[in-house]
Amino acid sequence: MPRFVLLKHELPASAPRGSHFDLMLETDDGLLTFELQSLPAGEEEQLVQELPLHRAHYLDYEGPISGNRGQVTRLEHGTFIWLVREPGLFQAELVGEQIRGVLNLTCVNAELHSWRLRFSAPGSSSAGSSLPG
């Protein structure tokens, strides 16, 4: 089963963008990576940025990133099953230690790599709220 990881990416104060969270989904080609401004929670939607594929190394890594690009802390990890995987639409069922539910990613603007993320946890309106931020 493919794995996923949710990382807190703390950037140096001199970085052109701020600290954020990275959601990474394992594929044969590398890790599909999305930059989130907040943790997935309840039925709330958020706009996220697709980043270039990352190395599978990040599934298990915590610590500093080379080139003075900050450091990452692993907040959550687990496995997932693809429910839909087609251009512009990804849907996966995540099974982590704290997060369990369906992740929906819909492309909003392909040129800008902008996606809409929605996470649905069965029977809960506050999925992900127990994760440390």
Side-chain angles (χ1 to χ4, degrees):
M1 230 186 258
R3 298 187 297 160
F4 80 92
V5 67
L6 182 60
L7 302 173
K8 183 173 185 177
H9 186 172
E10 296 178 83
L11 292 163
S14 61
R17 62 186 216 252
S19 295
H20 57 271
F21 302 95
D22 290 322
L23 173 65
M24 299 177 166
L25 303 168
E26 186 177 33
T27 71
D28 291 339
D29 300 324
L31 300 177
L32 279 175
T33 303
F34 297 89
E35 178 181 312
L36 289 61
Q37 295 307 308
S38 62
L39 293 170
E43 296 288 331
E44 297 173 11
E45 292 185 357
Q46 65 174 293
L47 287 179
V48 301
Q49 188 75 28
E50 182 181 13
L51 302 175
L53 286 173
H54 282 59
R55 297 176 290 148
H57 162 79
Y58 285 103
L59 287 168
D60 300 305
Y61 181 75
E62 285 188 294
I65 302 173
S66 63
N68 194 31
R69 292 178 292 151
Q71 78 168 37
V72 292
T73 304
R74 189 165 68 161
L75 300 179
E76 174 67 308
H77 65 282
T79 59
F80 71 94
I81 298 170
W82 288 113
L83 302 174
V84 176
R85 186 176 176 196
E86 56 189 49
L89 178 63
F90 298 139
Q91 189 178 65
E93 184 174 349
L94 305 181
V95 179
E97 293 182 353
Q98 299 172 56
I99 289 180
R100 292 175 186 264
V102 176
L103 174 74
N104 289 282
L105 287 158
T106 307
C107 186
V108 175
N109 186 320
E111 288 181 22
L112 297 176
H113 306 284
S114 180
W115 293 68
R116 182 176 47 249
L117 176 146
R118 185 171 39 107
F119 181 76
S120 304
S124 173
S125 62
S126 61
S129 62
S130 63
L131 290 172

